[in-house]
């Protein structure tokens, strides 16, 4: 980190003192944190034999490949955690407690699902019929052997609820949900140490942004101080400065959601937990910041119209998954930017653009104060940003995980 003058250090101290102001002003209220309340979006049950996402379970776009059986007493066995949530009924027919053992990520997701089930059907609980398998009852590459998969039902075993139960599992953040049998729903998660889990919210390096001049520039060539097109809260396109990169890694492998639109035709790629502004169904509906993995064909996103027409709704034709190399997450002063002609948020992991923007207010303020210092290098000087995740992003994630719980965050 470059040396700063005493004035700069003093401004940094002032910024730290102001940290509590935006935190208090934009702090979360009561209720589930970091995700939209289910009532805001009409939920549709999964159909029998349907799986979400629509890719095989053991691909990077879903739960990833199996890493081998976890045996009791092995080194990896210590990574499994017991789940004693009283709101979940564990069948545990072996009477060994094996169904209660799972990875931390699986535990966070199933606990969130248990709350959603009770909210959807008062008096009904989530029931786990199969969890970690140590007896060889599944296919050789099953994620049950790693504590990454569960078979679930409702406590009343009402099969008419299972389609909606599967949808609730998708909303709870499971990486793959399958209406596998008339008797149960199969769910699974990525490995806790997988690259897909560690990747928060980014765009690929070949994605382009629109500069203030109208020129297109690839994210891999974007620099701090460049001015790009973003949007104000009201939806008007405005020039916005690139302050820094929250993450920048040329070699990082990641799984991207590809959102394709028509009229105007655009193709946006971004990681599953990155926020994009979308509306369900009709194009004149309210646009909300949602995780990219929640967007469905028939939804609408905000796209840049031809001939400088500003933002206009564009219907989503297809949603698919792609693996790629290179991740880039620029932060602008407005917290938004046009990527491949589609309006996206600069934020990810927490499903609230407003709260995320408030959380980064101290960083934006500090950047603004530094710009007042004499001798500061001018924008567009060609300096290549540092690789890796920005320290402030790491700090916020650790604080949010400690205070809100990691189940409030999606990675």
């Amino acid at each position: 980190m470059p040396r700063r003058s005493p004035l700069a250090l003093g401004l940094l101290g002032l910024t730290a003192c102001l940290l509590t102001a935006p935190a208090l002003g934009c702090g979360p209220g009561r209720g589930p944190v970091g995700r939209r309340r289910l009532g805001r979006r009409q939920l549709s049950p999964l159909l029998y034999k349907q799986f979400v996402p629509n890719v095989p379970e053991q691909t990077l776009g879903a739960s990833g490949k199996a890493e081998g059986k976890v045996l009791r007493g092995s080194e990896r066995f210590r990574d499994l955690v017991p789940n004693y949530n009283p709101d979940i009924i564990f069948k545990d027919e072996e009477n060994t407690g094996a169904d209660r053992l799972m990875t931390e990520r699986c535990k966070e997701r199933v606990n969130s699902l248990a709350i959603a089930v009770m909210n959807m059907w008062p008096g009904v609980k989530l029931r786990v019929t199969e969890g970690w398998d140590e007896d060889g009852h599944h296919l050789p590459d099953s994620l049950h052997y790693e504590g990454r998969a569960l078979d679930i039902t409702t406590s009343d075993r009402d099969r008419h609820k299972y389609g909606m139960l599967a949808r609730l599992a998708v909303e709870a953040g499971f990486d793959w949900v399958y209406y596998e049998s008339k008797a149960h729903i199969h769910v699974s998660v990525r490995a806790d140490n997988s690259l897909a889990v560690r990747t928060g919210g980014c765009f690929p390096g070949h994605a382009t942004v629109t500069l203030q001049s109208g020129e297109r520039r690839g994210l891999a060539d974007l620099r701090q101080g460049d001015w790009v097109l973003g949007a104000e809260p009201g939806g008007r396109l405005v020039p916005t400065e690139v302050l820094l990169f929250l993450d920048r890694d040329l070699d990082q492998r990641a799984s991207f959601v590809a959102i394709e639109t028509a009229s105007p035709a655009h193709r946006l790629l971004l990681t599953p937990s990155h926020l994009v502004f979308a509306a369900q169904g009709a194009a004149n509906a309210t646009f909300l910041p949602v995780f990219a993995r929640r967007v469905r064909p028939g939804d609408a996103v905000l796209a840049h119209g031809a001939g400088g027409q500003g933002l206009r709704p564009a219907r989503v034709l297809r949603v698919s998954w792609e693996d790629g190399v290179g991740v880039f997450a620029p932060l602008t002063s407005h917290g938004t930017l046009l990527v491949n002609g589609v309006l996206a948020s600069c934020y990810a992991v927490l499903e609230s653009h407003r709260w995320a923007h408030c959380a980064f207010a101290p960083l934006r303020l500090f950047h603004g104060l530094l710009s007042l210092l004499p001798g500061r290098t001018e924008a567009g000087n060609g300096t290549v940003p540092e690789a890796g995740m920005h320290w402030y992003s790491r700090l916020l994630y650790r604080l949010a995980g400690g205070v809100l719980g990691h189940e409030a965050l999606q990675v």
Side-chain angles (χ1 to χ4, degrees):
M1 183 176 177
R3 287 184 170 273
R4 299 291 186 189
S5 66
L7 176 57
L9 295 177
L11 294 176
L12 176 60
L14 175 61
T15 303
C17 293
L18 293 173
L19 176 62
T20 55
L24 292 174
C26 301
R30 302 184 62 169
V33 179
R35 41 178 25 130
R36 294 176 295 110
R37 295 182 187 274
L38 297 179
R40 287 190 180 182
R41 180 167 182 157
Q42 186 68 32
L43 298 178
S44 57
L46 264 65
L47 302 177
Y48 180 55
K49 292 298 181 180
Q50 182 183 359
F51 44 87
V52 176
N54 190 28
V55 295
E57 180 180 26
Q58 294 193 25
T59 58
L60 189 57
S63 294
K65 291 191 175 298
E67 299 183 346
K69 292 183 179 182
V70 175
L71 303 178
R72 190 180 291 271
S74 67
E75 184 72 19
R76 292 173 61 204
F77 180 74
R78 293 189 295 180
D79 294 333
L80 301 183
V81 293
N83 192 333
Y84 296 109
N85 189 336
D87 296 324
I88 303 175
I89 297 173
F90 292 89
K91 186 177 180 182
D92 194 21
E93 57 190 352
E94 299 89 356
N95 201 30
T96 62
D99 288 342
R100 293 182 180 271
L101 295 175
M102 58 194 71
T103 64
E104 187 66 41
R105 182 176 179 83
C106 188
K107 180 179 179 179
E108 291 167 356
R109 301 303 188 256
V110 76
N111 285 347
S112 295
L113 177 58
I115 296 173
V117 168
M118 292 189 297
N119 288 338
M120 179 64 70
W121 303 293
V124 175
K125 291 186 177 182
L126 179 65
R127 177 172 173 259
V128 174
T129 61
E130 288 284 343
W132 176 58
D133 181 6
E134 60 178 333
D135 298 322
H137 293 156
H138 295 84
L139 295 175
D141 61 348
S142 172
L143 299 184
H144 280 284
Y145 296 122
E146 302 176 30
R148 293 165 52 193
L150 302 171
D151 293 340
I152 58 175
T153 72
T154 55
S155 60
D156 59 1
R157 307 185 196 183
D158 181 355
R159 298 187 178 187
H160 294 95
K161 294 185 172 77
Y162 290 178
M164 183 57 72
L165 175 64
R167 175 58 63 189
L168 293 179
V170 173
E171 296 293 311
F174 280 98
D175 298 305
W176 200 69
V177 178
Y178 181 27
Y179 195 164
E180 182 178 35
S181 161
K182 293 288 187 180
H184 69 262
I185 304 299
H186 176 83
V187 297
S188 62
V189 298
R190 299 177 183 132
D192 287 347
N193 63 346
S194 70
L195 289 177
V197 168
R198 294 200 302 266
T199 302
C202 301
F203 308 96
H206 58 74
T208 62
V209 295
T210 304
L211 301 183
Q212 183 178 7
S213 62
E215 174 193 350
R216 293 289 185 92
R217 178 171 296 177
L219 282 176
D221 299 319
L222 194 64
R223 300 292 181 259
Q224 179 178 330
D226 287 341
W227 284 77
V228 300
L229 290 184
E232 293 179 324
R236 185 173 68 92
L237 284 177
V238 293
T240 183
E241 184 182 4
V242 176
L243 305 180
L244 47 85
F245 279 79
L246 300 176
D247 200 354
R248 189 178 188 275
D249 193 329
L250 293 169
D251 302 316
Q252 171 73 59
R253 291 194 60 83
S255 178
F256 297 98
V257 176
I259 301 172
E260 300 180 54
T261 69
S263 235
H266 295 288
R267 193 170 190 268
L268 172 67
L269 273 75
L270 66 175
T271 45
S273 59
H274 203 107
L275 295 178
V276 63
F277 300 92
Q280 185 185 25
N284 60 355
T286 302
F287 284 83
L288 299 171
V290 300
F291 290 138
R293 62 181 174 81
R294 298 194 195 276
V295 177
R296 301 286 182 267
D299 291 352
V301 294
L302 291 171
H304 193 198
Q309 297 178 2
L311 292 175
R312 52 179 290 189
R315 182 174 175 270
V316 176
L317 285 180
R318 285 178 293 274
V319 179
S320 57
W321 292 71
E322 290 186 13
D323 299 341
V325 178
V327 291
F328 298 82
L331 174 66
T332 67
S333 55
H334 286 79
T336 58
L337 73 168
L338 281 178
V339 180
N340 288 0
V342 178
L343 183 66
S345 170
C346 292
Y347 309 116
V349 179
L350 185 69
E351 199 170 17
S352 170
H353 175 83
R354 180 174 64 89
W355 289 342
H357 197 57
C358 288
F360 280 91
L363 193 61
R364 295 194 305 275
L365 174 61
F366 179 54
H367 181 276
L369 293 175
L370 286 181
S371 68
L372 302 177
L373 294 177
R376 181 178 181 266
T377 55
E378 293 297 324
N381 61 4
T383 303
V384 178
E386 294 184 3
M389 185 177 291
H390 194 275
W391 64 267
Y392 192 83
S393 300
R394 293 186 184 276
L395 175 63
L396 282 183
Y397 183 76
R398 289 174 181 172
L399 289 175
V403 175
L404 306 179
H406 288 288
E407 65 273 8
L409 308 176
Q410 299 285 312
V411 292

